[in-house]
């Protein structure tokens, strides 16, 4: 792992991963390819942008020529593929970008890797690895019991999960057909620092701080298995270092919660840590049950036994501790939150980069 191409490194999980790798792998370089969509933010990596083992390239994973040239110029031996359109609600509003980036973008990356790593009798770099970051949502929706394992049949039910499932199948196909050295991780819902405030937890933190309604879809009893983002990143690193080529590993947080419980927990911690609302009421008073999401998956829960037994990984953070660390981070970084919510901020950073 000398020259690592990270895609989508300016997003939530990617930026946490880039920081972890720079800390933990002193002999590795990172080339971060990111298009800087609304979800990508250079500020997420402002603290490391001058690190000489880090390079940012603004570009689209659908641009095959750009990617192939990067492979050659940077002698890429490892790909960690995060770049995606990642929000289910947006995929319901407009699926087209999801098909483009998640399916065609993954295809373009696979093609570039195949061309660079496999086209000559001897690979140009030692031990190449292509790790595709995917989601538990490809497995569909669980009832009250059961867990998703690596052998659970795929049953995606939103345009987002269908596009991720499609990309997963392409990755498997490139391994089986061409022998591309792939690895895949399917993880549960992440939370933690640098999470864009359109997803449940950062949205609730932001609205609760500002005295706005806290929208809970349907009856609030949908269940997600919450995984602290740094734990997810350590799992990815472990799979890269020790995972068996061609295998899939599920990553979960052992923290199943109903959405309403998550929202109430955030409200109670904020009531404890910050000033009360102007009207003196608790933040739970802001909770508002709203129309349900179309096709809303009821329950996700991960069986991460394989990752634990084969690679010795398990989550280090409970939801109770992780959500407190997360809230503390948002309280210390309120400027980050207002920055990413301000459209002109994105334009500002984009123009700043273009001007360089
Ligand atoms: P995110 O939306 O926060 O970030 C996505 C990043 O990809 C952004 O920086 C964006 O600019 C970049 N990007 C988007 N389209 C691009 C393109 N065409 N070319 C180059 N860059 C592009 O996403 P995230 O939450 O960090 O998720 C990262 C990966 O993890 C995704 O593949 C997602 O499906 C998967 N995942 C996320 C979660 C979660 O809870 N967030 C759970 C399971 C799996
Ligand atoms: P989200 O963070 O969008 O992740 P995903 O859909 O990938 O699981 O949503 C998490 C859960 O919270 C999901 O069941 C939908 C629900 N939700 C709300 O109830 N209100 C909201 O405002 C949002 C964004 C999500």
């Amino acid at each position: 792992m000398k020259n690592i191409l990270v895609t989508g490194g300016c997003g939530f999980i990617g930026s946490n991963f880039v920081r972890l790798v720079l800390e933990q792998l002193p002999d590795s370089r990172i080339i971060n390819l990111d298009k800087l969509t609304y979800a990508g933010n250079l500020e997420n990596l402002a603290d490391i942008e001058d690190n000489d083992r880090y390079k940012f390239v603004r570009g689209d994973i659908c641009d095959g020529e750009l990617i192939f040239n990067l492979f050659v110029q940077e002698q890429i031996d490892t790909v960690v593929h995060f770049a995606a359109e990642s929000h289910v609600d947006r995929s319901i509003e407009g699926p087209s970008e999801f098909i483009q980036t998640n399916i065609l973008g993954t295809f373009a990356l696979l093609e570039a890797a195949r061309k660079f790593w496999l086209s000559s009798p001897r690979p140009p770099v030692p031990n190449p690895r292509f790790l595709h970051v995917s989601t538990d949502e490809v497995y569909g929706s669980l009832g009250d019991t059961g867990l998703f394992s690596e052998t659970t049949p795929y049953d995606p039910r939103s345009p987002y999960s269908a596009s991720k499932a499609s990309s997963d199948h392409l990755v498997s196909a490139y391994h089986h057909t061409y022998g591309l050295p792939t690895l895949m991780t399917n993880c549960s819902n992440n939370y933690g620092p640098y999470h864009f405030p359109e997803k449940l937890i950062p949205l609730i933190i932001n609205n609760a701080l500002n005295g706005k309604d806290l929208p809970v879809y349907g009856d609030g009893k949908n269940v997600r298995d919450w995984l602290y983002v740094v734990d997810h990143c350590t799992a990815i690193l472990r799979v890269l270092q020790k995972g068996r080529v061609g295998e899939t590993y599920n990553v979960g947080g052992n923290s199943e919660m109903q959405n309403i419980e998550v929202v109430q927990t955030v409200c109670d911690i904020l009531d404890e840590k910050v000033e009360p609302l102007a009207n003196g009421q608790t933040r739970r008073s802001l909770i508002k049950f709203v129309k349900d999401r179309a096709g809303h998956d009821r329950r996700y829960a991960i069986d991460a036994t394989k990752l634990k037994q084969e690679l010795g990984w398990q989550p280090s953070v409970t939801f109770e501790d992780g959500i407190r660390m997360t809230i503390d981070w948002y309280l210390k970084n309120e400027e980050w939150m207002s920055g990413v919510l301000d459209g002109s901020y994105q334009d500002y950073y984009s123009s700043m980069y273009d001007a360089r």
Side-chain angles (χ1 to χ4, degrees):
M1 280 195 272
K2 231 172 122 196
N3 298 314
I4 306 175
L5 175 64
V6 168
T7 69
C10 294
F12 163 46
I13 307 174
S15 59
N16 280 283
F17 181 77
V18 167
R19 196 170 283 103
L20 184 79
V21 168
L22 289 175
E23 269 166 32
Q24 302 222 336
L25 304 182
D27 297 326
S28 298
R29 288 175 65 234
I30 290 194
I31 294 88
N32 171 16
L33 174 68
D34 197 299
K35 184 178 171 182
L36 296 183
T37 67
Y38 77 94
N41 187 351
L42 285 177
E43 191 63 25
N44 292 1
L45 289 171
D47 54 326
I48 56 101
E49 69 182 3
D50 294 329
N51 189 314
D52 56 11
R53 293 187 290 122
Y54 171 74
K55 179 171 175 180
F56 173 65
V57 177
R58 188 174 188 192
D60 192 328
I61 56 162
C62 299
D63 183 344
E65 198 182 324
L66 167 80
I67 305 167
F68 181 71
N69 288 338
L70 269 182
F71 269 87
V72 177
Q73 280 159 17
E74 305 292 348
Q75 292 292 291
I76 298 297
D77 53 29
T78 307
V79 175
V80 187
H81 176 32
F82 293 98
E85 289 293 333
S86 67
H87 190 37
V88 174
D89 293 328
R90 283 183 191 252
S91 83
I92 296 168
E93 290 301 311
S96 163
E97 280 298 312
F98 288 73
I99 305 304
Q100 190 66 31
T101 287
N102 299 1
I103 304 178
L104 297 179
T106 302
F107 168 64
L109 265 179
L110 288 165
E111 270 297 275
R114 176 167 87 92
K115 223 164 104 189
F116 182 57
W117 290 341
L118 305 181
S119 63
S120 51
R122 277 210 354 246
V125 288
N127 278 325
R129 291 285 182 275
F130 186 114
L131 190 147
H132 175 61
V133 179
S134 192
T135 170
D136 59 359
E137 304 194 24
V138 298
Y139 300 121
S141 180
L142 291 165
D144 289 342
T145 58
L147 300 170
F148 295 135
S149 78
E150 290 80 0
T151 54
T152 302
Y154 275 32
D155 182 22
R157 294 148 45 101
S158 73
Y160 163 66
S161 54
S163 67
K164 291 295 291 186
S166 181
S167 64
D168 293 8
H169 289 317
L170 282 170
V171 171
S172 299
Y174 270 65
H175 173 67
H176 290 290
T177 306
Y178 303 114
L180 197 77
T182 60
L183 295 156
M184 191 144 62
T185 53
N186 291 73
C187 71
S188 58
N189 286 62
N190 286 219
Y191 68 101
Y194 302 103
H195 204 179
F196 193 83
E198 65 182 354
K199 306 279 171 65
L200 180 69
I201 287 182
L203 181 142
I204 294 299
I205 295 173
N206 185 51
N207 285 13
L209 279 173
N210 292 300
K212 293 191 195 152
D213 284 350
L214 309 179
V216 174
Y217 299 166
D219 63 4
K221 292 190 177 157
N222 301 66
V223 172
R224 299 292 184 260
D225 172 3
W226 293 96
L227 170 65
Y228 189 61
V229 64
V230 180
D231 273 341
H232 180 203
C233 294
T234 63
I236 292 174
L237 209 48
R238 186 71 58 90
V239 172
L240 269 177
Q241 289 169 322
K242 303 224 162 99
R244 285 183 292 135
V245 166
E247 292 292 316
T248 291
Y249 296 89
N250 280 357
V251 191
N254 282 342
S255 293
E256 275 188 63
M257 308 260 296
Q258 291 184 344
N259 292 338
I260 186 66
E261 295 171 329
V262 170
V263 174
Q264 287 170 341
T265 304
V266 170
C267 288
D268 296 348
I269 296 174
L270 284 175
D271 281 343
E272 183 191 303
K273 287 184 183 278
V274 297
E275 287 170 18
L277 294 175
N279 63 9
Q281 293 204 312
T282 63
R283 285 180 168 77
R284 286 190 186 209
S285 67
L286 300 170
I287 293 174
K288 193 166 175 198
F289 288 92
V290 298
K291 186 166 171 276
D292 209 354
R293 170 187 282 172
H296 196 175
D297 288 339
R298 191 64 174 169
R299 177 171 164 259
Y300 303 144
I302 284 270
D303 175 358
T305 310
K306 180 174 173 183
L307 190 52
K308 187 174 174 190
Q309 286 185 344
E310 275 192 23
L311 308 185
W313 178 93
Q314 57 185 339
S316 71
V317 174
T318 61
F319 185 76
E320 175 80 348
D321 291 340
I323 194 66
R324 282 182 177 275
M325 293 195 288
T326 303
I327 289 174
D328 285 343
W329 187 87
Y330 281 99
L331 291 177
K332 276 201 208 105
N333 292 278
E334 284 194 64
E335 276 171 25
W336 177 89
M337 183 69 97
S338 42
V340 294
L341 285 170
D342 172 7
S344 61
Y345 183 87
Q346 272 304 325
D347 297 341
Y348 166 70
Y349 267 94
S350 303
S351 62
M352 215 177 71
Y353 179 73
D354 289 340
R356 269 185 204 164

